[in-house]
C-alpha cells in the first residue's frame, strides 16, 4: 500500500538550472520534484539528467518527499531517464514522477520497469513510490483504472497546462478560469473526477501549478478551490507561493483542535470504562463512527503540518 506522506506543497525545480536545484534546498515545501520534462529544453536534456542525479546524491533536501519527474513514456528520453535515475540515485530519492499518464496498461508497464531496476540495484521491490500526472483527455477518461493499477502509486496530480491544451480550452492563463465562462468553475468536473478516483483507491490527489507567479490573490483563489474540495496539496513554482499554499492546505488550528477532541471523546465513550456507547455527545454535538473518520483526516493533516493541540479532552464535560 502506498505511503501517505505530507504533500501540501510540491516545488517544481527545473533540472537544467543548478542555481534552482541548490536554492530548492532552503524552501519550506513538504515535497519537491527535480524536473527532466517540460521545464527543460530538449537541447539540454542530457545535462539536466546529470545535474539532477548529482543534486540528489549531494542531498540537503531534508526529510521532504524527493521525486524526479522523467520525460513522458512516448518520448525518446523516457527509458534513459528512468534507468539512469534509478541506477544512480534510486537509493536517495523517494518517488519517480511520470507525466502524461493515459492508460492503466502504461502505468503497469512503468511499475514493472521500476521493479526490474530496483532488483538490478539491490533495492527492496516497492521501495520507490510513483506519482503520475493526469494531463490530457485520455488520461482523465481512464483515471479510475489508472488509480487502481499500482500499489506503489502514491499520488494523482492534475496538470492544468497540458490539460487545457489537450481539450482546446480557450485560455492561455494556466490554472485560471477561461474568459467568457461566467458560471461556476470550469475545472470542477476535472478536479472532482480526479479526487473521487484518488479517494476510491487510497491515493493522494494534488492540484498542479498556478503560473501567474505575481498574482498571489489568484493563487489563493485557485488553491482554496481544490483545498475545499479535499485535495491534499498543490504545486508551487516560486518562493512567494510556498507559504500561501502550505497555509491553505493545512487545517486551521480550531479545526485541528476540534478533530483531536472528537477522536479523544469518541475513544473514551466507546471504551468499556466510558460506557461502550456508539453515538455520543461532545458538547452540543452528536458524534459517531462517521464523525471519527472525518476527524481522523483533519487530525492526520494537522499532525503532518506540525500543528500542536491547544486544548485537551476532559471526560467530566
Ligand atoms: C504540469 O505539468 C501542467 O501541464 O500543468
Ligand atoms: Mg504538464
Amino acid at each position: 500500500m502506498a505511503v501517505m506522506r505530507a504533500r501540501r506543497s510540491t516545488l517544481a525545480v527545473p533540472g537544467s538550472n543548478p542555481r534552482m536545484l541548490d536554492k530548492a534546498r532552503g524552501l519550506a515545501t513538504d515535497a519537491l520534484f527535480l524536473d527532466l520534462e517540460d521545464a527543460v529544453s530538449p537541447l539540454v536534456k542530457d545535462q539536466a539528467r546529470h545535474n539532477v542525479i548529482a543534486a540528489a546524491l549531494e542531498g540537503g533536501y531534508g526529510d521532504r518527499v524527493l521525486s524526479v519527474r522523467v520525460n513522458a513514456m512516448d518520448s525518446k528520453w523516457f527509458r534513459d531517464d528512468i534507468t539512469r535515475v534509478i541506477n544512480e540515485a534510486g537509493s536517495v530519492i523517494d518517488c519517480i514522477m511520470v507525466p502524461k499518464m493515459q492508460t492503466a496498461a502504461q502505468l503497469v508497464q512503468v511499475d514493472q520497469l521500476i521493479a526490474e531496476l530496483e532488483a538490478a540495484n539491490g533495492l527492496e521491490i516497492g521501495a520507490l513510490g510513483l506519482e503520475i500526472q493526469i494531463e490530457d483527455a485520455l488520461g482523465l477518461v481512464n483515471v479510475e483504472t489508472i488509480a487502481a493499477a499500482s500499489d506503489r502509486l502514491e499520488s494523482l496530480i492534475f496538470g492544468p497546462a497540458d490539460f487545457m491544451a489537450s481539450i482546446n480550452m480557450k485560455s492561455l492563463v494556466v490554472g485560471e478560469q477561461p474568459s467568457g465562462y461566467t458560471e461556476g468553475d470550469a475545472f470542477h468536473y476535472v478536479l472532482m473526477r480526479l479526487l473521487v478516483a484518488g479517494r476510491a483507491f487510497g491515493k493522494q490527489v494534488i492540484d498542479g501549478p498556478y503560473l501567474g507567479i505575481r498574482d498571489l490573490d489568484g493563487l489563493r483563489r485557485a488553491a482554496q478551490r481544490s483545498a475545499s474540495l479535499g485535495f491534499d496539496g498543490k504545486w508551487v513554482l516560486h518562493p512567494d507561493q510556498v507559504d500561501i499554499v502550505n497555509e491553505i492546505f493545512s487545517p486551521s488550528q480550531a479545526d485541528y483542535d476540534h478533530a483531536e477532541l472528537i477522536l479523544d471523546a469518541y475513544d473514551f465513550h466507546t471504551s468499556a470504562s466510558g460506557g461502550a456507547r456508539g453515538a455520543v455527545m461532545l458538547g452540543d454535538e452528536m458524534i459517531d463512527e462517521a464523525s471519527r473518520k472525518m476527524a481522523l483526516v483533519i487530525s492526520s493533516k494537522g499532525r503532518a503540518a506540525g500543528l500542536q493541540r491547544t486544548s485537551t479532552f476532559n471526560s467530566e464535560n
Side-chain angles (χ1 to χ4, degrees), residues 204-234:
Q204 288 185 319
V205 189
I206 308 295
D207 192 8
Y210 186 83
L211 267 65
I213 54 174
R214 303 262 166 263
D215 182 0
L216 298 180
D217 287 339
L219 169 72
R220 204 172 262 288
R221 274 196 310 275
Q224 198 74 63
R225 273 198 295 267
S226 52
S228 308
L229 287 179
F231 271 58
D232 298 289
K234 184 170 175 64

PDB file of all heavy atoms in Angstrom, residues 204-234:
ATOM      1  N   GLN A 204      -3.221   9.965  -2.821  1.00  0.00           N
ATOM      2  CA  GLN A 204      -3.303  11.404  -2.603  1.00  0.00           C
ATOM      3  C   GLN A 204      -3.623  12.083  -3.926  1.00  0.00           C
ATOM      4  O   GLN A 204      -3.290  11.563  -4.994  1.00  0.00           O
ATOM      5  CB  GLN A 204      -1.987  11.923  -2.048  1.00  0.00           C
ATOM      6  CG  GLN A 204      -1.797  11.493  -0.596  1.00  0.00           C
ATOM      7  CD  GLN A 204      -0.559  12.086   0.024  1.00  0.00           C
ATOM      8  OE1 GLN A 204       0.485  12.164  -0.612  1.00  0.00           O
ATOM      9  NE2 GLN A 204      -0.658  12.484   1.282  1.00  0.00           N
ATOM     10  N   VAL A 205      -4.264  13.239  -3.837  1.00  0.00           N
ATOM     11  CA  VAL A 205      -4.660  13.946  -5.052  1.00  0.00           C
ATOM     12  C   VAL A 205      -4.138  15.381  -4.954  1.00  0.00           C
ATOM     13  O   VAL A 205      -4.416  16.099  -3.995  1.00  0.00           O
ATOM     14  CB  VAL A 205      -6.194  13.923  -5.217  1.00  0.00           C
ATOM     15  CG1 VAL A 205      -6.575  14.457  -6.585  1.00  0.00           C
ATOM     16  CG2 VAL A 205      -6.717  12.507  -5.052  1.00  0.00           C
ATOM     17  N   ILE A 206      -3.356  15.757  -5.972  1.00  0.00           N
ATOM     18  CA  ILE A 206      -2.613  17.016  -5.912  1.00  0.00           C
ATOM     19  C   ILE A 206      -2.999  17.903  -7.093  1.00  0.00           C
ATOM     20  O   ILE A 206      -3.045  17.441  -8.233  1.00  0.00           O
ATOM     21  CB  ILE A 206      -1.084  16.731  -5.982  1.00  0.00           C
ATOM     22  CG1 ILE A 206      -0.650  15.679  -4.936  1.00  0.00           C
ATOM     23  CG2 ILE A 206      -0.275  18.029  -5.837  1.00  0.00           C
ATOM     24  CD1 ILE A 206      -0.802  16.092  -3.503  1.00  0.00           C
ATOM     25  N   ASP A 207      -3.233  19.185  -6.797  1.00  0.00           N
ATOM     26  CA  ASP A 207      -3.541  20.163  -7.845  1.00  0.00           C
ATOM     27  C   ASP A 207      -2.214  20.683  -8.424  1.00  0.00           C
ATOM     28  O   ASP A 207      -1.226  20.805  -7.702  1.00  0.00           O
ATOM     29  CB  ASP A 207      -4.344  21.306  -7.203  1.00  0.00           C
ATOM     30  CG  ASP A 207      -4.969  22.228  -8.234  1.00  0.00           C
ATOM     31  OD1 ASP A 207      -4.922  21.909  -9.439  1.00  0.00           O
ATOM     32  OD2 ASP A 207      -5.493  23.283  -7.819  1.00  0.00           O
ATOM     33  N   GLY A 208      -2.217  20.987  -9.717  1.00  0.00           N
ATOM     34  CA  GLY A 208      -0.988  21.401 -10.401  1.00  0.00           C
ATOM     35  C   GLY A 208      -0.649  22.871 -10.197  1.00  0.00           C
ATOM     36  O   GLY A 208      -1.119  23.510  -9.264  1.00  0.00           O
ATOM     37  N   PRO A 209       0.159  23.419 -11.095  1.00  0.00           N
ATOM     38  CA  PRO A 209       0.706  24.760 -10.895  1.00  0.00           C
ATOM     39  C   PRO A 209      -0.266  25.897 -11.233  1.00  0.00           C
ATOM     40  O   PRO A 209      -1.173  25.733 -12.034  1.00  0.00           O
ATOM     41  CB  PRO A 209       1.878  24.780 -11.883  1.00  0.00           C
ATOM     42  CG  PRO A 209       1.456  23.864 -12.988  1.00  0.00           C
ATOM     43  CD  PRO A 209       0.671  22.772 -12.323  1.00  0.00           C
ATOM     44  N   TYR A 210      -0.010  27.053 -10.610  1.00  0.00           N
ATOM     45  CA  TYR A 210      -0.664  28.312 -10.979  1.00  0.00           C
ATOM     46  C   TYR A 210       0.451  29.181 -11.533  1.00  0.00           C
ATOM     47  O   TYR A 210       1.372  29.564 -10.809  1.00  0.00           O
ATOM     48  CB  TYR A 210      -1.301  28.947  -9.735  1.00  0.00           C
ATOM     49  CG  TYR A 210      -2.113  30.172 -10.048  1.00  0.00           C
ATOM     50  CD1 TYR A 210      -3.430  30.051 -10.480  1.00  0.00           C
ATOM     51  CD2 TYR A 210      -1.559  31.441  -9.922  1.00  0.00           C
ATOM     52  CE1 TYR A 210      -4.178  31.178 -10.780  1.00  0.00           C
ATOM     53  CE2 TYR A 210      -2.306  32.571 -10.223  1.00  0.00           C
ATOM     54  CZ  TYR A 210      -3.615  32.433 -10.653  1.00  0.00           C
ATOM     55  OH  TYR A 210      -4.359  33.554 -10.943  1.00  0.00           O
ATOM     56  N   LEU A 211       0.383  29.454 -12.834  1.00  0.00           N
ATOM     57  CA  LEU A 211       1.541  30.062 -13.487  1.00  0.00           C
ATOM     58  C   LEU A 211       1.702  31.566 -13.290  1.00  0.00           C
ATOM     59  O   LEU A 211       2.776  32.108 -13.532  1.00  0.00           O
ATOM     60  CB  LEU A 211       1.549  29.723 -14.992  1.00  0.00           C
ATOM     61  CG  LEU A 211       2.377  28.469 -15.338  1.00  0.00           C
ATOM     62  CD1 LEU A 211       1.794  27.209 -14.740  1.00  0.00           C
ATOM     63  CD2 LEU A 211       2.523  28.316 -16.847  1.00  0.00           C
ATOM     64  N   GLY A 212       0.635  32.218 -12.826  1.00  0.00           N
ATOM     65  CA  GLY A 212       0.741  33.668 -12.600  1.00  0.00           C
ATOM     66  C   GLY A 212       1.468  33.914 -11.293  1.00  0.00           C
ATOM     67  O   GLY A 212       0.839  34.197 -10.277  1.00  0.00           O
ATOM     68  N   ILE A 213       2.820  33.855 -11.319  1.00  0.00           N
ATOM     69  CA  ILE A 213       3.534  33.872 -10.036  1.00  0.00           C
ATOM     70  C   ILE A 213       3.479  35.229  -9.325  1.00  0.00           C
ATOM     71  O   ILE A 213       3.743  35.307  -8.139  1.00  0.00           O
ATOM     72  CB  ILE A 213       5.008  33.395 -10.170  1.00  0.00           C
ATOM     73  CG1 ILE A 213       5.730  34.198 -11.236  1.00  0.00           C
ATOM     74  CG2 ILE A 213       5.082  31.912 -10.445  1.00  0.00           C
ATOM     75  CD1 ILE A 213       7.198  33.882 -11.307  1.00  0.00           C
ATOM     76  N   ARG A 214       3.091  36.297 -10.051  1.00  0.00           N
ATOM     77  CA  ARG A 214       2.958  37.601  -9.369  1.00  0.00           C
ATOM     78  C   ARG A 214       1.540  37.772  -8.805  1.00  0.00           C
ATOM     79  O   ARG A 214       1.294  38.658  -8.000  1.00  0.00           O
ATOM     80  CB  ARG A 214       3.213  38.755 -10.343  1.00  0.00           C
ATOM     81  CG  ARG A 214       4.533  38.700 -11.017  1.00  0.00           C
ATOM     82  CD  ARG A 214       5.569  39.614 -10.326  1.00  0.00           C
ATOM     83  NE  ARG A 214       6.897  39.284 -10.788  1.00  0.00           N
ATOM     84  CZ  ARG A 214       7.737  38.466 -10.127  1.00  0.00           C
ATOM     85  NH1 ARG A 214       7.392  37.937  -8.975  1.00  0.00           N
ATOM     86  NH2 ARG A 214       8.926  38.180 -10.608  1.00  0.00           N
ATOM     87  N   ASP A 215       0.606  36.956  -9.251  1.00  0.00           N
ATOM     88  CA  ASP A 215      -0.795  37.124  -8.837  1.00  0.00           C
ATOM     89  C   ASP A 215      -1.107  36.212  -7.641  1.00  0.00           C
ATOM     90  O   ASP A 215      -1.677  35.136  -7.774  1.00  0.00           O
ATOM     91  CB  ASP A 215      -1.710  36.794 -10.031  1.00  0.00           C
ATOM     92  CG  ASP A 215      -3.173  37.001  -9.695  1.00  0.00           C
ATOM     93  OD1 ASP A 215      -3.487  37.406  -8.546  1.00  0.00           O
ATOM     94  OD2 ASP A 215      -4.028  36.743 -10.574  1.00  0.00           O
ATOM     95  N   LEU A 216      -0.711  36.700  -6.454  1.00  0.00           N
ATOM     96  CA  LEU A 216      -0.869  35.855  -5.270  1.00  0.00           C
ATOM     97  C   LEU A 216      -2.341  35.706  -4.858  1.00  0.00           C
ATOM     98  O   LEU A 216      -2.724  34.681  -4.297  1.00  0.00           O
ATOM     99  CB  LEU A 216      -0.022  36.393  -4.117  1.00  0.00           C
ATOM    100  CG  LEU A 216       1.497  36.402  -4.416  1.00  0.00           C
ATOM    101  CD1 LEU A 216       2.284  36.951  -3.228  1.00  0.00           C
ATOM    102  CD2 LEU A 216       2.018  35.008  -4.782  1.00  0.00           C
ATOM    103  N   ASP A 217      -3.174  36.704  -5.191  1.00  0.00           N
ATOM    104  CA  ASP A 217      -4.613  36.561  -4.899  1.00  0.00           C
ATOM    105  C   ASP A 217      -5.217  35.477  -5.785  1.00  0.00           C
ATOM    106  O   ASP A 217      -6.051  34.693  -5.343  1.00  0.00           O
ATOM    107  CB  ASP A 217      -5.356  37.878  -5.138  1.00  0.00           C
ATOM    108  CG  ASP A 217      -5.039  38.885  -4.055  1.00  0.00           C
ATOM    109  OD1 ASP A 217      -4.610  38.448  -2.968  1.00  0.00           O
ATOM    110  OD2 ASP A 217      -5.181  40.088  -4.314  1.00  0.00           O
ATOM    111  N   GLY A 218      -4.782  35.462  -7.055  1.00  0.00           N
ATOM    112  CA  GLY A 218      -5.256  34.420  -7.966  1.00  0.00           C
ATOM    113  C   GLY A 218      -4.836  33.033  -7.484  1.00  0.00           C
ATOM    114  O   GLY A 218      -5.615  32.084  -7.506  1.00  0.00           O
ATOM    115  N   LEU A 219      -3.601  32.934  -7.027  1.00  0.00           N
ATOM    116  CA  LEU A 219      -3.113  31.653  -6.495  1.00  0.00           C
ATOM    117  C   LEU A 219      -3.963  31.210  -5.300  1.00  0.00           C
ATOM    118  O   LEU A 219      -4.377  30.056  -5.190  1.00  0.00           O
ATOM    119  CB  LEU A 219      -1.649  31.792  -6.043  1.00  0.00           C
ATOM    120  CG  LEU A 219      -1.126  30.598  -5.238  1.00  0.00           C
ATOM    121  CD1 LEU A 219      -0.918  29.377  -6.132  1.00  0.00           C
ATOM    122  CD2 LEU A 219       0.174  30.940  -4.502  1.00  0.00           C
ATOM    123  N   ARG A 220      -4.218  32.182  -4.419  1.00  0.00           N
ATOM    124  CA  ARG A 220      -5.019  31.884  -3.221  1.00  0.00           C
ATOM    125  C   ARG A 220      -6.398  31.335  -3.617  1.00  0.00           C
ATOM    126  O   ARG A 220      -6.851  30.327  -3.064  1.00  0.00           O
ATOM    127  CB  ARG A 220      -5.172  33.191  -2.428  1.00  0.00           C
ATOM    128  CG  ARG A 220      -5.451  33.043  -0.986  1.00  0.00           C
ATOM    129  CD  ARG A 220      -5.379  34.401  -0.290  1.00  0.00           C
ATOM    130  NE  ARG A 220      -4.100  34.633   0.354  1.00  0.00           N
ATOM    131  CZ  ARG A 220      -3.701  34.019   1.458  1.00  0.00           C
ATOM    132  NH1 ARG A 220      -4.481  33.146   2.049  1.00  0.00           N
ATOM    133  NH2 ARG A 220      -2.532  34.265   1.984  1.00  0.00           N
ATOM    134  N   ARG A 221      -7.032  31.995  -4.588  1.00  0.00           N
ATOM    135  CA  ARG A 221      -8.375  31.548  -5.018  1.00  0.00           C
ATOM    136  C   ARG A 221      -8.311  30.135  -5.600  1.00  0.00           C
ATOM    137  O   ARG A 221      -9.118  29.280  -5.271  1.00  0.00           O
ATOM    138  CB  ARG A 221      -8.927  32.483  -6.105  1.00  0.00           C
ATOM    139  CG  ARG A 221      -9.650  33.706  -5.604  1.00  0.00           C
ATOM    140  CD  ARG A 221     -10.478  34.353  -6.722  1.00  0.00           C
ATOM    141  NE  ARG A 221      -9.731  34.567  -7.958  1.00  0.00           N
ATOM    142  CZ  ARG A 221      -8.961  35.618  -8.213  1.00  0.00           C
ATOM    143  NH1 ARG A 221      -8.832  36.583  -7.306  1.00  0.00           N
ATOM    144  NH2 ARG A 221      -8.328  35.739  -9.366  1.00  0.00           N
ATOM    145  N   ALA A 222      -7.313  29.898  -6.470  1.00  0.00           N
ATOM    146  CA  ALA A 222      -7.215  28.588  -7.120  1.00  0.00           C
ATOM    147  C   ALA A 222      -6.921  27.498  -6.087  1.00  0.00           C
ATOM    148  O   ALA A 222      -7.513  26.412  -6.113  1.00  0.00           O
ATOM    149  CB  ALA A 222      -6.128  28.619  -8.193  1.00  0.00           C
ATOM    150  N   ALA A 223      -6.019  27.801  -5.145  1.00  0.00           N
ATOM    151  CA  ALA A 223      -5.647  26.808  -4.121  1.00  0.00           C
ATOM    152  C   ALA A 223      -6.841  26.521  -3.213  1.00  0.00           C
ATOM    153  O   ALA A 223      -7.105  25.376  -2.838  1.00  0.00           O
ATOM    154  CB  ALA A 223      -4.463  27.314  -3.303  1.00  0.00           C
ATOM    155  N   GLN A 224      -7.573  27.595  -2.883  1.00  0.00           N
ATOM    156  CA  GLN A 224      -8.732  27.435  -1.996  1.00  0.00           C
ATOM    157  C   GLN A 224      -9.785  26.513  -2.615  1.00  0.00           C
ATOM    158  O   GLN A 224     -10.401  25.708  -1.920  1.00  0.00           O
ATOM    159  CB  GLN A 224      -9.343  28.830  -1.747  1.00  0.00           C
ATOM    160  CG  GLN A 224     -10.246  28.898  -0.560  1.00  0.00           C
ATOM    161  CD  GLN A 224      -9.448  28.866   0.742  1.00  0.00           C
ATOM    162  OE1 GLN A 224      -8.665  29.770   1.010  1.00  0.00           O
ATOM    163  NE2 GLN A 224      -9.628  27.813   1.523  1.00  0.00           N
ATOM    164  N   ARG A 225      -9.937  26.637  -3.940  1.00  0.00           N
ATOM    165  CA  ARG A 225     -10.951  25.802  -4.604  1.00  0.00           C
ATOM    166  C   ARG A 225     -10.621  24.324  -4.460  1.00  0.00           C
ATOM    167  O   ARG A 225     -11.452  23.523  -4.035  1.00  0.00           O
ATOM    168  CB  ARG A 225     -11.037  26.158  -6.095  1.00  0.00           C
ATOM    169  CG  ARG A 225     -11.984  27.293  -6.400  1.00  0.00           C
ATOM    170  CD  ARG A 225     -12.377  27.320  -7.873  1.00  0.00           C
ATOM    171  NE  ARG A 225     -11.237  27.607  -8.725  1.00  0.00           N
ATOM    172  CZ  ARG A 225     -10.883  28.819  -9.132  1.00  0.00           C
ATOM    173  NH1 ARG A 225     -11.596  29.871  -8.781  1.00  0.00           N
ATOM    174  NH2 ARG A 225      -9.829  28.991  -9.898  1.00  0.00           N
ATOM    175  N   SER A 226      -9.384  23.926  -4.791  1.00  0.00           N
ATOM    176  CA  SER A 226      -9.082  22.491  -4.732  1.00  0.00           C
ATOM    177  C   SER A 226      -8.957  22.032  -3.278  1.00  0.00           C
ATOM    178  O   SER A 226      -9.327  20.905  -2.940  1.00  0.00           O
ATOM    179  CB  SER A 226      -7.838  22.145  -5.556  1.00  0.00           C
ATOM    180  OG  SER A 226      -6.754  22.956  -5.224  1.00  0.00           O
ATOM    181  N   ALA A 227      -8.445  22.911  -2.393  1.00  0.00           N
ATOM    182  CA  ALA A 227      -8.338  22.522  -0.976  1.00  0.00           C
ATOM    183  C   ALA A 227      -9.721  22.287  -0.383  1.00  0.00           C
ATOM    184  O   ALA A 227      -9.929  21.338   0.381  1.00  0.00           O
ATOM    185  CB  ALA A 227      -7.605  23.597  -0.176  1.00  0.00           C
ATOM    186  N   SER A 228     -10.685  23.142  -0.758  1.00  0.00           N
ATOM    187  CA  SER A 228     -12.037  22.987  -0.196  1.00  0.00           C
ATOM    188  C   SER A 228     -12.662  21.677  -0.635  1.00  0.00           C
ATOM    189  O   SER A 228     -13.400  21.045   0.120  1.00  0.00           O
ATOM    190  CB  SER A 228     -12.953  24.123  -0.629  1.00  0.00           C
ATOM    191  OG  SER A 228     -12.354  25.346  -0.354  1.00  0.00           O
ATOM    192  N   LEU A 229     -12.392  21.274  -1.879  1.00  0.00           N
ATOM    193  CA  LEU A 229     -12.962  20.002  -2.334  1.00  0.00           C
ATOM    194  C   LEU A 229     -12.379  18.822  -1.562  1.00  0.00           C
ATOM    195  O   LEU A 229     -13.054  17.811  -1.372  1.00  0.00           O
ATOM    196  CB  LEU A 229     -12.661  19.792  -3.828  1.00  0.00           C
ATOM    197  CG  LEU A 229     -13.417  20.640  -4.833  1.00  0.00           C
ATOM    198  CD1 LEU A 229     -12.968  20.301  -6.240  1.00  0.00           C
ATOM    199  CD2 LEU A 229     -14.924  20.418  -4.708  1.00  0.00           C
ATOM    200  N   GLY A 230     -11.122  18.928  -1.128  1.00  0.00           N
ATOM    201  CA  GLY A 230     -10.498  17.808  -0.411  1.00  0.00           C
ATOM    202  C   GLY A 230      -9.136  17.410  -0.954  1.00  0.00           C
ATOM    203  O   GLY A 230      -8.564  16.414  -0.518  1.00  0.00           O
ATOM    204  N   PHE A 231      -8.602  18.177  -1.919  1.00  0.00           N
ATOM    205  CA  PHE A 231      -7.264  17.876  -2.447  1.00  0.00           C
ATOM    206  C   PHE A 231      -6.226  17.946  -1.315  1.00  0.00           C
ATOM    207  O   PHE A 231      -6.404  18.671  -0.338  1.00  0.00           O
ATOM    208  CB  PHE A 231      -6.886  18.878  -3.550  1.00  0.00           C
ATOM    209  CG  PHE A 231      -7.330  18.442  -4.924  1.00  0.00           C
ATOM    210  CD1 PHE A 231      -8.667  18.196  -5.192  1.00  0.00           C
ATOM    211  CD2 PHE A 231      -6.411  18.271  -5.956  1.00  0.00           C
ATOM    212  CE1 PHE A 231      -9.072  17.785  -6.460  1.00  0.00           C
ATOM    213  CE2 PHE A 231      -6.799  17.867  -7.218  1.00  0.00           C
ATOM    214  CZ  PHE A 231      -8.129  17.615  -7.481  1.00  0.00           C
ATOM    215  N   ASP A 232      -5.138  17.208  -1.491  1.00  0.00           N
ATOM    216  CA  ASP A 232      -4.110  17.141  -0.446  1.00  0.00           C
ATOM    217  C   ASP A 232      -3.067  18.248  -0.563  1.00  0.00           C
ATOM    218  O   ASP A 232      -2.363  18.531   0.410  1.00  0.00           O
ATOM    219  CB  ASP A 232      -3.416  15.780  -0.500  1.00  0.00           C
ATOM    220  CG  ASP A 232      -4.401  14.670  -0.221  1.00  0.00           C
ATOM    221  OD1 ASP A 232      -4.830  14.547   0.938  1.00  0.00           O
ATOM    222  OD2 ASP A 232      -4.796  13.954  -1.164  1.00  0.00           O
ATOM    223  N   GLY A 233      -2.916  18.822  -1.767  1.00  0.00           N
ATOM    224  CA  GLY A 233      -1.894  19.855  -1.912  1.00  0.00           C
ATOM    225  C   GLY A 233      -1.863  20.393  -3.320  1.00  0.00           C
ATOM    226  O   GLY A 233      -2.674  20.015  -4.173  1.00  0.00           O
ATOM    227  N   LYS A 234      -0.883  21.279  -3.550  1.00  0.00           N
ATOM    228  CA  LYS A 234      -0.779  21.951  -4.847  1.00  0.00           C
ATOM    229  C   LYS A 234       0.689  22.221  -5.142  1.00  0.00           C
ATOM    230  O   LYS A 234       1.498  22.358  -4.233  1.00  0.00           O
ATOM    231  CB  LYS A 234      -1.560  23.274  -4.773  1.00  0.00           C
ATOM    232  CG  LYS A 234      -1.634  24.037  -6.071  1.00  0.00           C
ATOM    233  CD  LYS A 234      -2.642  25.188  -5.943  1.00  0.00           C
ATOM    234  CE  LYS A 234      -2.662  26.051  -7.197  1.00  0.00           C
ATOM    235  NZ  LYS A 234      -3.114  25.330  -8.392  1.00  0.00           N
TER     236      LYS A 234
END
